[in-house]
Each structure stands twice: as C-alpha cells, then as structure tokens.
Amino acid sequence: MIKTLLIANRGEIARRIIRTCKALGIRTVAVYSDPDANAPHVREADFAVNLPGATPSETYLRAGLIVEAATKAGADAVHPGYGFLSENADFARKVQAAGLTWVGPEPDSIETMGSKVAAKKRMAAAGVPTLPELDPETVTEFPVLIKASAGGGGRGMRIVREKAGFADALASARREAESAFGDPTVFCEPLLEHARHVEVQILADTHGTVWALGERECSIQRRHQKIVEEAPSPAVTGDVRKRLFAAATAAAESIGYVGAGTVEFMLKGEDFHFLEVNTRLQVEHPVTELVHGVDLVEWQLRIAEGAKLPLEAPEPRGHAIEVRLYAEDPANDWRPASGTLHRFHVPGDIRLDSGVEDGSEISVFYDPMLAKVIAYAPTRAAAARKLATALESARIHGLITNRQLLVDILRNDAFLDGDTHTGFLAEHDFTRTVDPQPFALAAALAQAATRRIGTLPLGWRNVRSQQPTAKFLFGDTEIEVEYDPEQATEDTVILDLDGVKTPFRVARYGDLVEVDSPRGSVSLKAVPRFPEPETKLAPGATIAPMPGTVVRVSVNQGDHVEAGTELLVLEAMKMEHRVLANNAGTVTELLVEKAQQVNAGDVLAVVEES
C-alpha cells in the first residue's frame, strides 16, 4: 500500500494528484524550483522539497535529485504526472532501483514507445494501421510533417508544404527537440490535410485486463498543441469506434502495458492511422473522467498497488469539453506572457484544474498554461454553452490570455456542428476588434468614484468650465475620455450604450486597469497627468517581446531585409518564437548573439529604413 507519494511535477497536474491523494488518505510530497517556492502545489502538499535552480534542466528534469528528494521525505512511491520525466525510462528505473513504487507503466514499455520511429515499427507489426515513415534526408514529396522522435506536445514539429523551406524547418525542429527532450532525432510523415486527431484512453492492470475507456477528439490545435478536447468525439460512431478500440487494445497488449496511457490516431473519414502512445496520464484526461465516472489518478495508484480492474469498462454518459487557458496572445503569433496574475476567478458549474490563484507569478521557465476549464452536460451543445458562458464571465487580470478565442471557438457554428480538424484555426477567422472607448469611460468613472472628499468627487466645481478627462493606453493607442464625476460608481459602472444598459466591472492594480463586461474584457494602462519623460528608441529598433534565449541569429550587420524578414529566433516557455523585421531597410546594428539571454524590452537589432 502506498503511504506517501512524491509528485515529480508542478502546477496544475501536481494539484490534481494531491486532490485524489487527500481523498484516499495518501500523504504527498511536492518538489519545487526556486520560482515555484510559493506555488499552490507546494502549499497543498504535506511535505515539500526544494530543487535548487530555475530552469527545467536544473530542477524538474534531474532524475537523481528527485529520487533523493523522495528518499529524504520518506516517500514510498513516485508519480511523474505528465511532461518533464513522465516518459523517461531511465527515471522510472532509478525510482524502482531506490526501492520506490513507480506509478506508471514498466520502464521497458516506456522505452519501446519513447522513440516514435521504433514505436511505429512495433505497431505495424501488431497490425495497427500506420502512416509511411519518410527519411528527412531523402524527402522529395510535399507537404510533409516533421516530428520529434522523443517527445510530444507540439515541440519539434513543423509542417512543410514545399522544398524551399524544408532545410530551415528541419534544423529548427531538431533544435527544439534537443532543447525539449534532449534528443534531436526527427522523422517525417505525409501530411494528412483536414484530418482529425482522435485518441483512445487505455487503462491496464497487472492481471491482463485492458480497458479502452472511450475516445477523445483533440483536433483544434495551435502550434500542433491541443487547446480544445472533448469526449466522446462527434465524428466517431459504430464500426469506426470498434476498430479504434481494437487497435488501441492491440497496441497496449503488444507492449505489455500497465497503468493509464493514450493511443493517438489521425482519423480521416473512416480510416485512421497510428500516431503515438503516450505512456502517461494525458493533459485532457478530465473529459474521460467526467463522461465515464472514473478517477484515472486513483486507478493509477490502485494498479500500482496491484489492484484488479473490473472486466468491463464503465459505459459513457453525456458529453465533456475541456479548453486549455493559456497566458498568450493569439493575435500575436501566440506570444506567451509572464508576470503577475492579479485575479483569477472562473464561475459556474464547471471543473477547474488550475495551477494558479490570485497573485500567482507566471514564470518564463515553464509552459504558459494557467488552467484547464472543463464542462460536462447531457449533450455536446449544452456542454459547449456552459463552458463558453463560464469563460466569458471569468475575471482574469494581469496577463493577456487566449480566453476570448476559446469562447469564440465554442460558439462557432462549424464547431457546434462537429466539423473540426487539425487545420480548424487556420480555416476560420477568429480575429475580433473591440471598441475600447466605453471600457475607458467605465474605467474613468470608477476611478473618479474612489477620489472623493466627503460626498463630493475630487475636482468638483460649483461652476465647471469643462468636463474632467482621463487618458488610457489600449495597447499602443492612447484614448482620452470625458466624464461626469458626479455619476461615478466605485467598481461596477452601468453605461447606456445606444439604449442598451451594459454593466462594466472595473479592477485596478497600480496603473493597470482591467475592465470586464458582456462585450468582452479589456486591459488598459492609466496615463499619468504628468508623465515622466521616456527614452526614445532609435527608428527601426526591434525589441525583445519577452524574456528568452537567442537560439539563432538569421541576419548579419549590413544585410538588407524586407519587412517580415526573420532577424533572430528566441526560445521562451519551451517554444521557439521568430522575431521579424518591422520595416524594410539595412541592419545597421545587431546587438545580440547566439545563446545570449535577453529581457523583455531589450533592443535586439536596428533596421534603418531604406
């Protein structure tokens, strides 16, 4: 019996595992990096051990240090969560060699599936349909998909549609794979256009029982990483479901799988092909739990203790949809955001698996996912409506997020019809323009309400020569509004907009003003009445959009470039981000070099306009 469990992970999944352990009466040990010292998962665990350092390579990826922490804290078992070392066979062996229970499949199964190249060969031999593998050195037909052999999560993956961009994409994929997984090996497959990403949850015990616990649809992705997941799939019925379950079961049995895992497929029409086996718990496991009425973490622990599964898996009921809420800007090439999350509240009858709370610091060192928001209902349409309403009503202050994009997806007609595929975001226009004027007016009125002398607003005059004004920045745009301070309220302002009364909720954090309403949410920056003089940037200066590491410099000083030319590539939050020239001209200054660390706002290069 497991008495004390060390969770070799952080954030949302660590809190998720702690929740089940508390229900089962199992003590928990958290590990944490220096930036995570005050994180919720550290506080919620019974014990916590520091992993000195900040980056994953210094902390959560150090197998020996984590095993040492487990021994020091008196743990008798280790759960890896997902990501980091969860699919590392050597880590699993180190845990077992230390006399600890490994909550996961056998290391040999992990190793067999750890290389996607070897895994495809193994699955083909087991009769599971696979796509042909293409040698990156001899690819001649396009489009193709480049994929990292040693990992997932969209890292080390690139779509290439013509030969001209193949060499650069291949080098970039290898670089990202090396950084994320410590292995630069990649391979290629023919790209299946308009195909769906469908996966089957498997659960297997040590006594020979294997469950195919329903399928999940995970087709809506950005950067080849899922952002909307649901169970069951709106595209899978009857014979296709039987064949998917049979293929997933055959895959598990062929490698003697034990525990929770996922077999992923690409589905086009009624034909499907094997993608990979994830030998761990998936990020999207909550939708399966809600539809099938099981706790997958509990079953992972019970199987590790030797328990038997019932012979038949529970039947599915209803529909569940999950969205991944990220601190990132969808309108700006999914640029991740870091900093203080001042307010985080999602209302409604939903499940919220989050790694953050009010006041959490979002670090540049880890994935920018804030939470998974999940809705369950008797029907797919009802689940989508419930989830969209909860997200729209949320108060998320301090960082830009993909919240509005998720709401718009859930209300999109094609999505509601179940017409989704991996190119869904590229096929639909989700750009949205917001008129910031009423939000700024609400912010000015709320601000005036807090500035009173007795019952009179600050600035009140018996005979007024002009209306008071306030200025705000909406992005780079300055907005000036006039207002009547005698009509002000403190944190909720109701404006009559063309005969429609609309409430605006206003929250202030220093000079940051967050305004939420049924029309959307807007972040404003208050402009002081007497602003400090600012340092002017040189014309054509390109600044770092975020903290990161320079992994490639693509131009030389003196080069002529066009607007949109790649100047360099930054790595931040485990992904590569291209920095492009804002204008055509000559690179007169190049202020960084490969492997250099930069801060947000640092000048990287100057392109003098032609």
Side-chain angles (χ1 to χ4, degrees), residues 51-95:
L51 306 174
T55 66
S57 61
E58 293 173 320
T59 55
Y60 299 106
L61 289 175
R62 292 184 63 183
L65 200 62
I66 291 174
V67 171
E68 183 183 313
T71 304
K72 183 190 302 184
D76 52 10
V78 172
H79 192 305
Y82 51 69
F84 294 130
L85 294 170
S86 62
E87 295 179 279
N88 186 304
D90 288 340
F91 176 52
R93 291 188 180 106
K94 281 184 169 69
V95 169

Side-chain angles (χ1 to χ4, degrees), residues 116 151-157 181 222-226 276 278 280 324 367 575:
K116 290 187 176 66
R155 295 172 182 87
M157 191 178 291
F181 314 117
R222 62 94 172 100
R223 287 178 170 258
H224 313 293
Q225 193 172 52
K226 308 159 190 172
E276 61 185 343
N278 291 126
R280 53 169 169 80
R324 302 190 192 186
D367 187 277
M575 299 291 279

Side-chain angles (χ1 to χ4, degrees), residues 160-175:
V160 185
R161 299 191 177 279
E162 53 188 31
K163 188 174 182 179
F166 182 72
D168 285 347
L170 183 64
S172 176
R174 283 174 169 159
R175 212 168 39 240

Side-chain angles (χ1 to χ4, degrees), residues 164-372:
F166 182 72
D168 285 347
L170 183 64
S172 176
R174 283 174 169 159
R175 212 168 39 240
E176 197 168 85
E178 171 72 32
S179 173
F181 314 117
D183 183 349
T185 305
V186 298
F187 67 100
C188 297
E189 290 178 340
L191 178 67
L192 288 181
E193 302 274 19
H194 292 88
R196 294 174 182 263
H197 185 128
V198 175
E199 60 192 30
V200 178
Q201 175 70 57
I202 55 173
L203 198 61
D205 63 20
T206 57
H207 307 280
T209 300
V210 179
W211 282 359
L213 198 61
E215 84 282 347
R216 297 184 288 254
E217 168 99 25
C218 309
S219 297
I220 299 182
Q221 305 175 2
R222 62 94 172 100
R223 287 178 170 258
H224 313 293
Q225 193 172 52
K226 308 159 190 172
I227 57 171
V228 180
E229 301 115 335
E230 57 183 310
S233 165
V236 176
T237 57
D239 178 63
V240 175
R241 179 169 285 125
K242 288 179 184 177
R243 290 190 291 117
L244 271 173
F245 288 6
T249 302
E253 291 175 343
S254 73
I255 57 173
Y257 198 83
V258 171
T262 300
V263 187
E264 300 194 342
F265 301 93
M266 293 301 290
L267 172 69
K268 192 166 185 178
E270 295 193 351
D271 296 326
F272 57 84
H273 299 87
F274 171 80
L275 272 180
E276 61 185 343
V277 174
N278 291 126
T279 52
R280 53 169 169 80
L281 198 65
Q282 289 279 87
V283 176
E284 56 271 22
H285 74 274
V287 294
T288 298
E289 292 185 321
L290 290 170
V291 167
H292 289 268
V294 299
D295 182 329
L296 288 172
V297 173
E298 179 180 350
W299 270 116
Q300 284 185 296
L301 297 168
R302 292 179 63 187
I303 288 170
E305 293 176 330
K308 288 184 178 182
L309 287 167
L311 293 179
E312 298 295 329
E315 291 294 320
R317 291 185 178 181
H319 202 96
I321 305 175
E322 169 184 297
V323 294
R324 302 190 192 186
L325 184 66
Y326 281 98
E328 65 183 15
D329 186 357
N332 211 339
D333 197 29
W334 313 101
R335 181 183 296 168
S338 59
T340 304
L341 184 66
H342 296 292
R343 182 84 170 100
F344 185 71
H345 174 66
V346 185
D349 177 22
I350 48 94
R351 170 172 165 175
L352 182 68
D353 285 14
S354 75
V356 297
E357 59 188 7
D358 290 359
S360 286
E361 289 293 326
I362 308 306
S363 166
V364 299
F365 299 109
Y366 313 114
D367 187 277
M369 188 172 77
L370 302 178
K372 303 177 316 196

Side-chain angles (χ1 to χ4, degrees), residues 238-571:
D239 178 63
V240 175
R241 179 169 285 125
K242 288 179 184 177
R243 290 190 291 117
L244 271 173
F245 288 6
T249 302
E253 291 175 343
S254 73
I255 57 173
Y257 198 83
V258 171
T262 300
V263 187
E264 300 194 342
F265 301 93
M266 293 301 290
L267 172 69
K268 192 166 185 178
E270 295 193 351
D271 296 326
F272 57 84
H273 299 87
F274 171 80
L275 272 180
E276 61 185 343
V277 174
N278 291 126
T279 52
R280 53 169 169 80
L281 198 65
Q282 289 279 87
V283 176
E284 56 271 22
H285 74 274
V287 294
T288 298
E289 292 185 321
L290 290 170
V291 167
H292 289 268
V294 299
D295 182 329
L296 288 172
V297 173
E298 179 180 350
W299 270 116
Q300 284 185 296
L301 297 168
R302 292 179 63 187
I303 288 170
E305 293 176 330
K308 288 184 178 182
L309 287 167
L311 293 179
E312 298 295 329
E315 291 294 320
R317 291 185 178 181
H319 202 96
I321 305 175
E322 169 184 297
V323 294
R324 302 190 192 186
L325 184 66
Y326 281 98
E328 65 183 15
D329 186 357
N332 211 339
D333 197 29
W334 313 101
R335 181 183 296 168
S338 59
T340 304
L341 184 66
H342 296 292
R343 182 84 170 100
F344 185 71
H345 174 66
V346 185
D349 177 22
I350 48 94
R351 170 172 165 175
L352 182 68
D353 285 14
S354 75
V356 297
E357 59 188 7
D358 290 359
S360 286
E361 289 293 326
I362 308 306
S363 166
V364 299
F365 299 109
Y366 313 114
D367 187 277
M369 188 172 77
L370 302 178
K372 303 177 316 196
V373 189
I374 314 105
Y376 172 80
T379 67
R380 184 173 183 269
R385 182 188 297 120
K386 181 188 289 189
L387 187 52
T389 300
L391 285 166
E392 195 169 54
S393 304
R395 305 199 78 184
I396 307 166
H397 298 165
L399 297 171
I400 192 166
T401 72
N402 66 338
R403 180 255 300 267
Q404 191 59 58
L405 171 70
L406 298 173
V407 172
D408 292 343
I409 290 171
L410 292 166
R411 290 188 170 151
N412 177 270
D413 289 340
F415 174 80
L416 293 172
D417 289 341
D419 184 14
T420 61
H421 53 83
T422 54
F424 184 84
L425 289 184
E427 193 172 88
H428 296 270
D429 182 9
F430 288 104
T431 56
R432 166 189 281 245
T433 58
V434 176
D435 178 9
Q437 201 75 19
F439 292 86
L441 179 56
L445 288 168
Q447 177 178 287
T450 64
R451 298 176 177 178
R452 291 181 175 272
I453 300 175
T455 60
L456 296 177
L458 189 65
W460 180 86
R461 297 288 185 274
N462 188 31
V463 179
R464 184 179 300 150
S465 61
Q466 61 185 36
Q467 290 285 86
T469 63
K471 292 181 181 179
F472 299 93
L473 285 178
F474 175 59
D476 295 326
T477 304
E478 186 171 274
I479 304 163
E480 184 173 11
V481 291
E482 290 184 353
Y483 62 94
D484 182 349
E486 295 178 54
Q487 296 179 357
T489 54
E490 200 158 316
D491 54 14
T492 300
V493 177
I494 299 176
L495 298 180
D496 189 322
L497 303 172
D498 296 326
V500 179
K501 290 188 180 295
T502 306
F504 291 79
R505 293 179 295 170
V506 182
R508 195 178 185 99
Y509 310 93
D511 62 357
L512 175 66
V513 185
E514 299 277 7
V515 188
D516 300 300
S517 88
R519 292 171 174 252
S521 297
V522 162
S523 295
L524 301 168
K525 185 178 181 181
V527 176
R529 292 183 63 191
F530 306 104
E532 295 289 331
E534 294 182 355
T535 303
K536 293 289 186 182
L537 292 174
T542 301
I543 63 171
M546 69 199 86
T549 304
V550 178
V551 295
R552 182 171 76 204
V553 178
S554 309
V555 295
N556 296 305
Q557 193 164 320
D559 285 356
H560 178 81
V561 297
E562 298 298 327
T565 299
E566 179 183 288
L567 300 178
L568 53 97
V569 177
L570 284 179
E571 183 183 80

